[in-house]
Every structure is written in C-alpha cells, then in structure tokens.
Amino acid sequence: MIHKISGTVIQGNRIGRTLRFPTANIALDDDIPVRDGVYAAEVRTEGKIWPAMVNIGTRPTVTDNGKRFAEAHLFGFDGDLYGRTITIFLLQYIRGERRFTGLDALNEQLQLDKQNILNLFNK
Ligand SMILES: Cc1cc2nc3c(=O)[nH]c(=O)nc-3n(C[C@H](O)[C@H](O)[C@H](O)COP(=O)(O)O)c2cc1C
C-alpha cells in the first residue's frame, strides 16, 4: 500500500465549507492502490505538517460521477490551499466510505471522525 500521495489542490464543489469541514482536494487516478475510506493523516504543505483527516474515494453522498479524490481536512488550518502542492501521509485507516442519506448525516459522521482522529493524535 502507498502511504504517501502528492498533488496539486484543485477546486472542490465547496460543499465542505457549508459542512464546516473545508477540504483540500486532489484528483486521484483509479489505479492508485489505496483502499477507499477515511484515514488519520498528516499533510505537508509549504514546509509545515498538519494533522488531518482524509477521505479517499468518490464521495457517493454528493456525486455520482465516479471520480476519485483525496480530500484532506487539516486540523487547525484556516486558509486556502487551492493551487498549492500538498503531500498526504496516510497514518491509519479509520472506516470505509459510505453513502449517507444527506449532508446532515454526513456532517454528524465527520464530527465523530474528527473526535476519533484527534483522540488518536493525543494518545
Ligand atoms: C474525513 C472525511 C470523511 C468523508 N467521508 C465521506 C463519506 O463517507 N461519504 C461521502 O460520500 N463523502 C465523504 N466525504 C466527502 C464529503 O462528501 C466532501 O468532503 C464534501 O462533499 C465536500 O466536498 P468539497 O470539498 O468538494 O466541497 C468525506 C470527507 C472527509 C474530509
């Protein structure tokens, strides 16, 4: 398994901002052999490392186009990474990607993911 993914941050559909979990998104080819799902991760950009939660997959709750992305929500980061290069280090698999009934249900899960992953970092 690849533990490290680099790419240029592309514009998402900005739902992340309404979810209050803004993400830095990079496109991923289908053949990158990483299991889809949510990971505890660290993200390096501009010489700094941020703890993060990362989703790898096609986001079945919000899109049907099958396009695969790595989406990183950086804890404590408040800014726009659009156009920047980021490197994602996947540290631990947390759960599979799922189709939620709507954005409220997805948002609740993201809050749980955040708590779980922050607990891991604080161990
Ligand atoms: C930690 C994390 C977990 C996620 N889990 C799922 C998931 O299980 N199912 C899903 O459809 N989308 C999931 N997403 C993707 C969200 O649908 C996506 O980030 C949101 O739609 C915002 O997209 P945007 O940044 O393009 O606006 C996850 C995103 C993150 C950051």
Side-chain angles (χ1 to χ4, degrees):
M1 173 178 149
I2 294 179
H3 293 281
K4 181 178 159 186
I5 302 164
S6 287
T8 303
V9 176
I10 56 173
Q11 197 72 259
N13 52 29
R14 296 190 170 261
I15 295 169
R17 286 177 199 278
T18 55
L19 289 172
R20 278 182 281 141
F21 289 101
T23 56
N25 303 349
I26 60 182
L28 266 194
D29 288 339
D30 287 343
D31 58 1
I32 292 184
V34 175
R35 178 180 181 191
D36 284 358
V38 176
Y39 293 81
E42 286 180 330
V43 174
R44 186 175 67 208
T45 184
E46 301 185 321
K48 282 192 188 162
I49 302 255
W50 301 85
M53 57 182 183
V54 172
N55 186 58
I56 307 271
T58 56
R59 314 186 298 185
T61 308
V62 292
T63 53
D64 282 329
N65 62 18
K67 283 194 189 145
R68 205 164 169 240
F69 295 93
E71 294 185 288
H73 172 76
L74 281 54
F75 298 126
F77 180 85
D78 182 22
D80 194 350
L81 292 171
Y82 177 59
R84 306 273 165 80
T85 300
I86 65 172
T87 302
I88 299 172
F89 300 90
L90 300 176
L91 302 178
Q92 190 171 317
Y93 181 83
I94 302 293
R95 67 170 173 88
E97 189 184 44
R98 307 207 310 264
R99 183 192 297 269
F100 290 91
T101 51
L103 290 180
D104 287 345
L106 173 61
N107 198 37
E108 279 178 28
Q109 181 60 51
L110 291 180
Q111 291 184 40
L112 291 177
D113 292 335
K114 179 178 179 178
Q115 281 167 21
N116 288 339
I117 291 170
L118 286 177
N119 285 341
L120 284 177
F121 277 111
N122 289 329
K123 263 186 187 161

